[in-house]
């Protein structure tokens, strides 16, 4: 009876720093961003994707092992691979992000005092720019 090992889907190219201090810094920031991404899964007010991508970027510069683990992760792996290969975002992710930004901005316009309305317009401008950027990226 032969026992098959789990084969990994993807072997990453990493660009690790030679300086151990820089590598440790990237490793620590990678774990911090990964933890924030996990919190973002649980809390609707925090984004998940940017933190997971930041963690992947940090680990690509510090630890082949953790980067390899993340890009082969059951839930986050395909998303990270698509981003690293083609800067691609799933269409549902683009629409979900745009709708959530629109809802949040609309709520801000109704709940902010009149003398602080410039903040709502600034947020609306930034969210519009993010939505335009997202839809210019290829679909995953």
């Amino acid at each position: 009876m032969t026992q098959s090992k789990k084969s990994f889907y993807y072997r990453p190219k990493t660009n690790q720093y030679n300086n151990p201090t820089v590598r440790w810094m990237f490793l620590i920031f990678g774990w911090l961003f990964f933890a924030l991404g996990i919190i973002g899964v649980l809390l609707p007010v925090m984004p998940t994707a940017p933190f997971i991508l930041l963690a992947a970027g940090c680990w690509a510069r510090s630890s082949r092992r953790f980067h390899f683990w993340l890009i082969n992760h059951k839930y986050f792996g395909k998303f990270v691979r698509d981003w690293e290969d083609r800067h691609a975002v799933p269409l549902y992710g683009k629409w979900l992000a745009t709708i959530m930004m629109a809802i949040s901005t609309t709520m801000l316009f109704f709940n902010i005092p009149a003398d602080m309305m410039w903040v709502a317009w600034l947020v609306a401008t930034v969210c519009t720019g993010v939505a335009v950027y997202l839809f210019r990226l290829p679909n995953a």
Side-chain angles (χ1 to χ4, degrees):
M1 177 184 267
T2 60
Q3 190 174 16
S4 65
K5 288 186 174 182
K6 180 180 177 186
S7 62
F8 289 100
Y9 175 75
Y10 185 76
R11 297 223 180 254
K13 296 177 195 167
T14 57
N15 186 15
Q16 294 182 331
Y17 282 90
N18 292 329
N19 186 338
T21 306
V22 174
R23 285 180 67 181
W24 273 103
M25 181 186 70
F26 274 119
L27 183 70
I28 291 167
F29 277 122
W31 278 109
L32 175 70
F33 291 138
F34 184 75
L36 290 172
I38 295 301
I39 292 170
V41 170
L42 304 173
L43 296 177
V45 295
M46 280 207 34
T48 300
F51 291 119
I52 297 300
L53 291 176
L54 283 169
C58 287
W59 285 340
R61 286 157 182 79
S62 64
S63 170
R64 284 184 179 95
R65 181 176 135 200
F66 290 129
H67 185 241
F68 187 66
W69 171 77
L70 184 59
I71 62 174
N72 288 293
H73 192 272
K74 182 178 179 180
Y75 300 110
F76 302 125
K78 181 170 177 4
F79 176 71
V80 174
R81 286 191 306 268
D82 286 340
W83 180 258
E84 286 184 353
D85 290 342
R86 300 180 294 130
H87 287 263
V89 178
L91 187 60
Y92 73 88
K94 294 176 184 182
W95 280 108
L96 180 64
T98 303
I99 290 168
M100 295 304 282
M101 287 187 295
I103 291 170
S104 299
T105 303
T106 303
M107 288 174 36
L108 184 63
F109 272 104
F110 286 112
N111 292 323
I112 200 164
D115 60 336
M116 296 292 290
M117 195 57 69
W118 66 272
V119 173
W121 284 108
L122 179 65
V123 169
T125 304
V126 169
C127 288
T128 302
V130 169
V132 168
Y133 173 74
L134 276 176
F135 279 96
R136 290 183 57 137
L137 295 172
N139 293 333

Short mmCIF file of all heavy atoms in Angstrom, two decimals, residues 2 14 25 49 56 73 79 98 105 119 130:
data_model
loop_
_atom_site.label_atom_id
_atom_site.label_comp_id
_atom_site.label_asym_id
_atom_site.label_seq_id
_atom_site.Cartn_x
_atom_site.Cartn_y
_atom_site.Cartn_z
N THR A 2 0.71 2.08 -0.99
CA THR A 2 1.50 3.31 -1.05
C THR A 2 0.72 4.46 -0.46
O THR A 2 -0.49 4.58 -0.64
CB THR A 2 1.87 3.65 -2.50
OG1 THR A 2 0.68 3.83 -3.23
CG2 THR A 2 2.72 2.56 -3.10
N THR A 14 10.26 33.80 -4.01
CA THR A 14 10.37 34.78 -2.94
C THR A 14 11.60 35.63 -3.15
O THR A 14 12.57 35.20 -3.76
CB THR A 14 10.44 34.09 -1.56
OG1 THR A 14 11.55 33.21 -1.55
CG2 THR A 14 9.17 33.34 -1.26
N MET A 25 11.67 41.72 10.93
CA MET A 25 10.66 42.77 10.90
C MET A 25 9.52 42.37 9.95
O MET A 25 8.35 42.48 10.30
CB MET A 25 11.28 44.09 10.46
CG MET A 25 10.31 45.26 10.43
SD MET A 25 11.04 46.74 9.73
CE MET A 25 11.20 46.28 8.02
N ALA A 49 -9.10 41.15 2.82
CA ALA A 49 -8.21 40.96 1.68
C ALA A 49 -6.93 41.80 1.75
O ALA A 49 -5.84 41.25 1.52
CB ALA A 49 -8.96 41.25 0.39
N ALA A 56 1.08 38.21 2.89
CA ALA A 56 1.76 37.44 1.84
C ALA A 56 3.00 38.18 1.35
O ALA A 56 4.06 37.58 1.15
CB ALA A 56 0.81 37.16 0.68
N HIS A 73 -2.99 27.92 1.29
CA HIS A 73 -4.04 27.86 2.30
C HIS A 73 -5.38 27.51 1.67
O HIS A 73 -5.67 27.92 0.53
CB HIS A 73 -4.14 29.22 3.02
CG HIS A 73 -4.96 29.19 4.24
ND1 HIS A 73 -6.32 29.41 4.23
CD2 HIS A 73 -4.62 28.97 5.53
CE1 HIS A 73 -6.77 29.33 5.46
NE2 HIS A 73 -5.77 29.06 6.27
N PHE A 79 -6.91 33.29 -3.69
CA PHE A 79 -6.97 34.75 -3.74
C PHE A 79 -5.56 35.35 -3.82
O PHE A 79 -5.29 36.23 -4.64
CB PHE A 79 -7.72 35.25 -2.51
CG PHE A 79 -7.77 36.73 -2.38
CD1 PHE A 79 -8.54 37.48 -3.25
CD2 PHE A 79 -7.03 37.38 -1.42
CE1 PHE A 79 -8.58 38.86 -3.15
CE2 PHE A 79 -7.06 38.75 -1.31
CZ PHE A 79 -7.83 39.49 -2.18
N THR A 98 -17.48 47.44 -3.58
CA THR A 98 -18.11 48.68 -4.05
C THR A 98 -19.43 48.93 -3.35
O THR A 98 -19.72 50.05 -2.92
CB THR A 98 -18.31 48.62 -5.58
OG1 THR A 98 -17.04 48.41 -6.20
CG2 THR A 98 -18.92 49.91 -6.09
N THR A 105 -20.53 54.99 2.90
CA THR A 105 -20.44 56.41 2.59
C THR A 105 -21.80 57.07 2.71
O THR A 105 -21.92 58.18 3.24
CB THR A 105 -19.87 56.60 1.17
OG1 THR A 105 -18.60 55.95 1.10
CG2 THR A 105 -19.70 58.06 0.84
N VAL A 119 -15.65 65.85 5.43
CA VAL A 119 -15.09 64.52 5.68
C VAL A 119 -15.86 63.47 4.86
O VAL A 119 -15.27 62.58 4.26
CB VAL A 119 -15.15 64.17 7.19
CG1 VAL A 119 -14.72 62.73 7.43
CG2 VAL A 119 -14.29 65.13 7.99
N VAL A 130 -11.17 54.08 -5.23
CA VAL A 130 -10.91 52.66 -4.98
C VAL A 130 -11.78 51.79 -5.88
O VAL A 130 -11.30 50.80 -6.45
CB VAL A 130 -11.14 52.32 -3.49
CG1 VAL A 130 -11.14 50.82 -3.25
CG2 VAL A 130 -10.09 53.00 -2.62
#
